Amino acid sequence: MTAATTTAGIPRREASRAWMRVPWYIWCGVLAVTSASIGGPWDVSWHRSIGRDTFWTPAHMAIYACGVLAAIVCGDLILTTTFRPSSPLRASSVRVFGFRAPLGAFIAAWGGIAMLTSAPFDNWWHSAYGLDVKIVSPPHTLLILGMRAVSVGVIFLILAEMNRARAAGEPNAGILQALFLYIGGLVVAGQ
């Protein structure tokens, strides 16, 4: 008697564990984008109901957790792909300023750094020009661009892994597709 299979011909037992084959950096990227998606609307409602009482509000921490996570994870991905010749991503990487990594890692790392750069600038802006003078201030613009870059970088990482998984017949292609739709939905919804 043969084992039960999915419609793709993959054994059910293997398909049920497909989420374990999704690379760790993709899960971290999804967590980062989710954190910013929760923190953004929470921060707007916090400012409207309570005001900007301090930089260290939970909403701000949720937003900046995205930048920290993206910068650390993608920085690690860039360094390991560059300096470890046996890295599995080396063959499918691009070169930027002498570093090698998937394109999505460079985009998301830039976004994370931009987000973290905007934090002290935003704090100074509020001290110099008042609390919430305008929602579209230079530090907020940099923050939003950084959040978008992290999202686009994570989408690129997911799509690249999804292409590799489909070419190899891996069972995690469906989970990667679901993650792509999830992140894409957050981007379209406005994050």
Side-chain angles (χ1 to χ4, degrees):
M1 179 176 258
T2 61
T5 61
T6 63
T7 56
I10 300 167
R12 286 200 188 278
R13 181 179 199 106
E14 192 175 330
S16 67
R17 294 186 184 160
W19 64 272
M20 293 170 51
R21 292 184 178 209
V22 174
W24 65 273
Y25 56 87
I26 289 180
W27 288 117
C28 290
V30 169
L31 178 64
V33 174
T34 301
S35 178
S37 297
I38 292 169
W42 187 10
D43 187 43
V44 170
S45 67
W46 188 288
H47 283 252
R48 287 186 179 188
S49 61
I50 298 172
R52 189 182 190 279
D53 49 353
T54 178
F55 173 78
W56 302 102
T57 64
H60 281 167
M61 295 304 102
I63 291 170
Y64 289 109
C66 171
V68 169
L69 197 54
I72 290 173
V73 167
C74 291
D76 177 67
L77 199 58
I78 291 167
L79 292 176
T80 56
T81 305
T82 301
F83 296 112
R84 193 174 63 181
S86 63
S87 172
L89 295 174
R90 197 166 177 87
S92 61
S93 64
V94 297
R95 183 178 293 265
V96 176
F97 299 122
F99 293 99
R100 295 187 66 90
L103 179 61
F106 285 110
I107 295 170
W110 179 88
I113 292 168
M115 290 178 70
L116 297 175
T117 302
S118 76
F121 186 34
D122 183 46
N123 221 21
W124 170 81
W125 187 272
H126 285 293
S127 297
Y129 298 108
L131 300 177
D132 290 331
V133 176
K134 288 189 175 189
I135 194 73
V136 185
S137 63
H140 288 170
T141 302
L142 182 61
L143 175 66
I144 292 166
L145 286 173
M147 287 171 35
R148 293 295 182 190
V150 169
S151 299
V152 168
V154 170
I155 286 174
F156 278 26
L157 288 170
I158 292 170
L159 288 175
E161 185 63 30
M162 190 165 47
N163 285 338
R164 286 189 291 274
R166 287 192 188 233
E170 296 270 342
N172 64 348
I175 292 176
L176 290 163
Q177 185 177 16
L179 291 174
F180 167 71
L181 292 172
Y182 171 70
I183 298 298
L186 292 178
V187 170
V188 169
Q191 188 179 24

